Amino acid sequence: MTVSAARIPWRTPMLVIVIGCTIALLNFGVRSGFGLFLEPISIANGWGREVFAFGIAIQTVLWGFGQPFAGAIADRYGSGRVLAVGALLYAGGVALTAYAATPLMLNLTLGVLLGMGLAGTSFTVALAAIARMVPPERRSWALGLGTAAGSMGQFLMVPLSQGFIAAWGWQIALLLLSLFALAIVPLSSVLAGRAPEGTGPKQSMGEALKEAGNQKSYWLLISGFFVCGFHVSFIQTHLPAYIVDRGLDPATGAWALALVGLANVVGSYTAGVLGGKRSKKYLLSAIYAARAVVIAVFVLLPMTQVSVLIFAFCMGLLWLSTVPLTSGLVAQIFGPRYMATLFGIVFFSHQVGGFLGVWLGGRLFDLTGSYDVVWWISLGLGVFAAIVHWPIDERPLVRMAPAPVAAE
C-alpha cells in the first residue's frame, strides 16, 4: 500500500482507477477534436494549413518535453498538484486560442500554453498514479483500462466538438471545451500523494535515470514510441481535412475520429488484458505491423465513406493500444517507483514523432497539395517499429542491495 493510501483510507485502489480514468477521458477527449478546428481557423484568418499545423506541432513537442519534468514532480511530490496546475494551463490555452488572431498568438495559446497544460494533465501522470495502487499482476489490466478511458473521451468529445462548431461556431466551441479541461482541477485531489519507496534497495532519481539510460531495451522502447506519436498526431490532425479534400462531408471526418476513439476502447483494454498474459514486446511488434498494413490498404483503395469508417475502426483498435504495453514494460523492467519520470521520457519521444507527423503533414500538403508522401512515410515507420520491439529484454532488472558495512 502506498503512503497516501495508508493516510487516507477512503482513497481506495478502485476510486483512484475511476478518477484516473475520468481525468484521462477529459484530457484526451478535449485534445482529440483539435483537428476539427484546422479548416475553420485557417479560413477565418486567411492562413495556409501549415500555420495551424505548426501550432499543434509546438503543442505536441512541448507536451512531450514537459512530460519528464511533470513526471519527476509527480514522483517526488504527488500527482495531484501536477494535475491541478496542468488543468489550469490546459483550460486557459483552449479558451485563449479562440482569440488568437495572428500566427504568433496561435503558437502561444494552441502551442505553448496547451502543450504545458497537456504535460501536466497527461494520462502519463494519471497512469503512474494508477500503477502504484494495484499489484503487479493487475497492473497491465489497470493501465489498459486507463488508456481505454482516454479513447472513450475521444469517442464522446469529438462529435460534441463538431456539434459545438456547427451550432455556435469555432470560437464558442473552444470556450465550451475549456470548461471540460477545467473540470480536472477538483478531480486531481484524489490522485494526491507520492509514490512508495518500494521494498528493494533505495534508489535516487538520478540513479534510476542512469540505470535506464544504460539499458538497450529502454532505448528501443523510446525509438518505437516515436513511431506511435508520428502516426497518432498526423492522423488525428489531418484526417478530417484529408477526407474533405477527397470530396466527402466534414461530418465524416468527425465521425471517423470518434470511431477511432470507440474502437480504441476495445483495443486498449484488450491490449492491457493480453499484456498481463502474453509477451508485451511481441504484442507491440504485432500492433505496429498491423498499422502498416491498414495504412497501405487505406491509401491504395478508392476512398468512400465506408472505406473511411473501416479504416477508422481498424486504426482505432491499434491506436493507443501501445500505451498500456509500453508503460507496462517500463514498470515491469524498472519498477513503479520512478515510472512517471521514466515513462515521461519515453513519451517525449512519442511527442517528437508527433511534432514531425503533424508538421510534415501541413508542410508537404502546402508544397505538393497532397498528403500521399506522409502516408507512405507512416507505413515505413510502422515496419520499423515492428522490428525494433522484437529484441527488447522484458525481464525485471535485478538490483543488488548494498553490502553492509562491517563493524570495527
Side-chain angles (χ1 to χ4, degrees):
M1 181 178 290
T2 68
V3 174
S4 60
R7 290 178 180 173
I8 307 177
W10 55 263
R11 189 180 293 143
T12 63
M14 184 53 64
L15 178 62
V16 169
I17 290 173
V18 170
I19 296 301
C21 287
T22 303
I23 291 174
L25 184 151
L26 292 171
N27 167 272
F28 201 73
V30 173
R31 167 66 177 78
S32 296
F34 286 171
L36 301 174
F37 293 89
L38 188 156
E39 276 204 303
I41 289 180
S42 299
I43 292 171
N45 292 284
W47 298 333
R49 292 185 185 180
E50 186 182 0
V51 175
F52 185 91
F54 190 68
I56 292 290
I58 292 174
Q59 175 196 116
T60 301
V61 78
L62 281 181
W63 177 6
F65 180 77
Q67 198 64 76
F69 298 100
I73 296 170
D75 283 335
R76 187 174 180 85
Y77 299 107
S79 298
R81 299 176 186 179
V82 178
L83 289 164
V85 173
L88 292 174
L89 293 171
Y90 192 175
V94 175
L96 291 174
T97 297
Y99 302 101
T102 67
L104 177 60
M105 290 176 63
L106 189 75
N107 291 340
L108 291 175
T109 56
L110 183 68
V112 176
L113 273 181
L114 264 165
M116 295 170 62
L118 284 165
T121 58
S122 171
F123 52 57
T124 303
V125 178
L127 290 182
I130 291 173
R132 297 170 192 140
M133 292 292 289
V134 296
E137 64 273 13
R138 299 287 286 170
R139 189 173 293 145
S140 183
W141 165 78
L143 294 175
L145 194 63
T147 309
S151 297
M152 180 57 73
Q154 179 171 338
F155 172 70
L156 296 174
M157 296 297 294
V158 172
L160 185 62
S161 299
Q162 181 63 41
F164 287 161
I165 293 171
W168 296 295
W170 62 271
Q171 290 177 303
I172 298 298
L174 286 169
L175 295 176
L176 292 173
L177 289 175
S178 71
L179 299 178
F180 288 92
L182 194 62
I184 295 174
V185 174
L187 297 174
S188 63
S189 61
V190 178
L191 301 189
R194 292 192 303 119
E197 292 293 338
T199 57
K202 288 189 177 180
Q203 187 182 41
S204 70
M205 185 175 294
E207 290 169 339
L209 292 170
K210 182 178 179 181
E211 177 185 69
N214 289 329
Q215 300 298 316
K216 177 184 176 182
S217 295
Y218 189 61
W219 290 104
L220 293 175
L221 277 175
I222 289 172
S223 300
F225 218 37
F226 169 92
V227 176
C228 182
F230 189 100
H231 286 165
V232 169
S233 293
F234 166 64
I235 293 172
Q236 193 169 61
T237 302
H238 293 284
L239 182 63
Y242 177 66
I243 290 170
V244 172
D245 291 342
R246 302 295 293 271
L248 298 181
D249 188 85
T252 302
W255 281 109
L257 289 182
L259 187 56
V260 167
L262 181 62
N264 195 50
V265 173
V266 178
S268 296
Y269 182 78
T270 302
V273 172
L274 291 177
K277 301 176 181 179
R278 300 286 187 269
S279 166
K280 294 180 180 65
K281 67 174 184 177
Y282 295 142
L283 289 170
L284 283 167
S285 290
I287 287 169
Y288 285 111
R291 282 190 187 185
V293 172
V294 170
I295 290 171
V297 172
F298 180 60
V299 172
L300 292 172
L301 290 180
M303 179 180 289
T304 64
Q305 190 175 57
V306 173
S307 72
V308 168
L309 296 180
I310 291 175
F311 167 77
F313 179 79
C314 293
M315 186 57 69
L317 293 176
L318 310 166
W319 192 246
L320 292 180
S321 54
T322 59
V323 173
L325 300 173
T326 303
S327 60
L329 274 176
V330 172
Q332 180 174 305
I333 296 171
F334 301 103
R337 175 66 183 92
Y338 293 108
M339 177 185 166
T341 305
L342 295 178
F343 183 51
I345 294 171
V346 178
F347 189 78
F348 175 54
S349 174
H350 182 281
Q351 297 308 94
V352 172
F355 173 91
L356 290 175
V358 71
W359 173 72
L360 274 179
R363 178 64 174 167
L364 292 178
F365 180 87
D366 284 350
L367 288 175
T368 68
S370 170
Y371 288 112
D372 289 350
V373 174
V374 190
W375 282 115
W376 290 111
I377 291 173
S378 298
L379 186 153
L381 286 173
V383 174
F384 165 79
I387 294 170
V388 299
H389 283 90
W390 203 262
I392 289 175
D393 186 348
E394 298 180 294
R395 293 173 297 179
L397 287 178
V398 178
R399 301 182 180 96
M400 300 299 294
V405 179
E408 294 289 343

